[in-house]
Amino acid sequence: MDMDLLIAPIIIFLVIVAPIWLILHYRSKRQVSQGLTEAEFTQLNDLIAQADKMGQRIETLEAILDTEAPEWRGKDEQS
């Protein structure tokens, strides 16, 4: 009786879930091995450029704060 309760879920898993799981697994493996598409590469380069700009802006803002409020760095640590 206990074995009958286990057979149905095992068969359903092997017939439905396992094939779908294998198909999705190997499809994702193939996509990873192909590398970046042209659109993804362009988007990555755009994000790198934006990060560089943001870094320059942060450096500029820190320089301004260092000049106008030299104690600003210590305020974060005291909070």
Side-chain angles (χ1 to χ4, degrees):
M1 188 68 157
D2 290 333
M3 193 61 150
D4 292 339
L5 292 175
L6 290 176
I7 291 176
I10 290 172
I11 290 173
I12 291 172
F13 178 81
L14 290 175
V15 171
I16 298 173
V17 177
I20 294 172
W21 189 358
L22 288 172
I23 290 168
L24 293 175
H25 171 73
Y26 285 109
R27 183 185 297 169
S28 69
K29 286 280 193 187
R30 186 179 65 224
Q31 288 175 347
V32 167
S33 68
Q34 289 177 348
L36 296 175
T37 65
E38 187 65 34
E40 292 170 335
F41 187 72
T42 302
Q43 184 180 21
L44 181 61
N45 283 332
D46 291 343
L47 290 172
I48 291 170
Q50 287 178 356
D52 289 341
K53 279 184 182 179
M54 194 175 301
Q56 292 171 354
R57 289 178 180 171
I58 290 171
E59 288 176 11
T60 302
L61 288 172
E62 286 179 346
I64 291 169
L65 282 171
D66 285 338
T67 303
E68 294 184 6
E71 70 284 348
W72 74 273
R73 291 185 191 264
K75 288 182 180 179
D76 289 341
E77 296 169 2
Q78 294 173 358
S79 299

